[in-house]
Amino acid sequence: MSAKPMNILCVTAHPDDAEILCAGTLARYASQGHTVTIAVFTSGNMGDAKIPPDELAVMREQETREAADLLGARLIWAGIDDEHVFPTLEQRRIMIDILREADPDVIFTHSPNDYHPDHRYVGQLVFDSYFQKGLPHIPGQQRPACRFGQAQVYYLDNLGGIGFLPTEYVDISAVFELKMRMLACHRSQVVAMQELANTDLLGMIEIQARFRGLAAGCRYAEGFTRLDAYQRGLTSRILP
């Protein structure tokens, strides 16, 4: 692990995705003095059958800020309509500016084979925007180019671990309680998951973390795959 302070960026589609899939890893980075940024691409405004989208968007942002504050993380809120992520030029420009604002050394985002289209397209937008973050003459951008250097990309686990085989694990046993407190901040989502999908969100994530821990040889773990691509690979492990 690098002793030099790094910028850690987690880019997810929905307000609770970071807490579900990598809050423990982000907590470990934060405890080591690295700067952690959570970027949420949609407002989560379509995620309830009863609460109107405008009202729900305000609730989801407040809940996300509460969770980020527990970690001491910076929050970037893009505010795209939930269920409306597509790899368009407009949304790529938004993603380029997110990457430029965070100037990351490490990026976490969704796996290409994730179950949700918003997740898959966010991951694609991160992939497609990777080089543009460091190019100063891309038209239509609101933020100046950041460093052009390498940023290692890690793909997040899938819910239930379905179709995802981690190649690297992070032991989150010591910070698991914090992860669950962050997830519990997302009260509207916890209720919606129970009502719409008959799913105990907190219980499900405890099971997944325990299962990944079983594979990793610890109590609780989060699993990732590293994106290996030209000019994106590193020769040493940088996960905590």
Side-chain angles (χ1 to χ4, degrees):
M1 238 285 295
S2 172
K4 180 181 178 181
M6 296 187 296
N7 295 334
I8 312 300
L9 172 64
C10 177
V11 188
T12 62
H14 303 114
D16 57 347
D17 290 335
E19 287 76 12
I20 288 172
L21 299 171
C22 70
T25 300
L26 298 181
R28 288 202 53 187
Y29 272 123
S31 71
Q32 294 169 354
H34 302 293
T35 298
V36 175
T37 300
I38 298 173
V40 180
F41 205 66
T42 81
S43 65
N45 60 340
M46 303 294 174
D48 195 281
K50 300 175 183 177
I51 304 173
D54 289 348
E55 182 180 339
L56 185 59
V58 173
M59 294 173 61
R60 299 302 305 274
E61 182 176 1
Q62 179 57 43
E63 290 167 354
T64 305
R65 292 192 181 279
E66 290 179 18
D69 286 346
L70 287 177
L71 189 62
R74 180 173 55 167
L75 177 65
I76 299 175
W77 186 261
I80 300 296
D81 279 341
D82 188 9
E83 309 294 336
H84 288 76
V85 180
F86 303 100
T88 63
L89 177 59
E90 177 186 2
Q91 293 194 19
R92 184 191 288 193
R93 285 175 173 161
I94 293 170
M95 185 62 74
I96 292 170
D97 280 335
I98 288 173
L99 297 182
R100 288 179 171 188
E101 182 174 350
D103 190 17
D105 297 287
V106 182
I107 303 171
F108 295 95
T109 195
H110 297 290
S111 168
N113 73 333
D114 196 285
Y115 81 104
H116 197 298
D118 282 357
H119 292 192
R120 295 196 304 271
Y121 287 137
V122 162
Q124 182 177 335
L125 285 165
V126 170
F127 185 97
D128 294 345
S129 303
Y130 180 93
F131 285 114
Q132 284 80 3
K133 67 181 171 57
L135 297 175
H137 303 302
I138 302 295
Q141 297 306 133
Q142 302 301 308
R143 291 189 171 273
C146 65
R147 294 173 296 165
F148 190 75
Q150 293 183 2
Q152 182 62 60
V153 177
Y154 288 94
Y155 286 131
L156 301 168
D157 208 343
N158 295 338
L159 276 179
I162 298 172
F164 191 89
L165 183 61
T167 55
E168 297 193 50
Y169 295 89
V170 175
D171 183 349
I172 63 166
S173 304
V175 293
F176 182 73
E177 181 181 350
L178 174 57
K179 171 186 171 80
M180 297 302 281
R181 286 172 55 208
M182 292 174 65
L183 182 57
C185 289
H186 294 275
R187 294 172 292 276
S188 64
Q189 181 70 347
V190 171
V191 171
M193 287 288 286
Q194 187 65 58
E195 293 181 348
L196 296 177
N198 194 29
T199 298
D200 174 5
L201 182 60
L202 295 169
M204 179 178 69
I205 298 311
E206 195 275 339
I207 291 171
Q208 185 154 343
R210 184 71 187 96
F211 176 71
R212 293 307 189 196
L214 180 65
C218 57
R219 177 66 178 171
Y220 294 112
E222 290 169 340
F224 307 93
T225 60
R226 192 179 77 173
L227 170 62
D228 291 320
Y230 178 60
Q231 293 190 342
R232 307 190 193 195
L234 298 175
T235 58
S236 61
R237 175 183 166 95
I238 56 173
L239 291 176

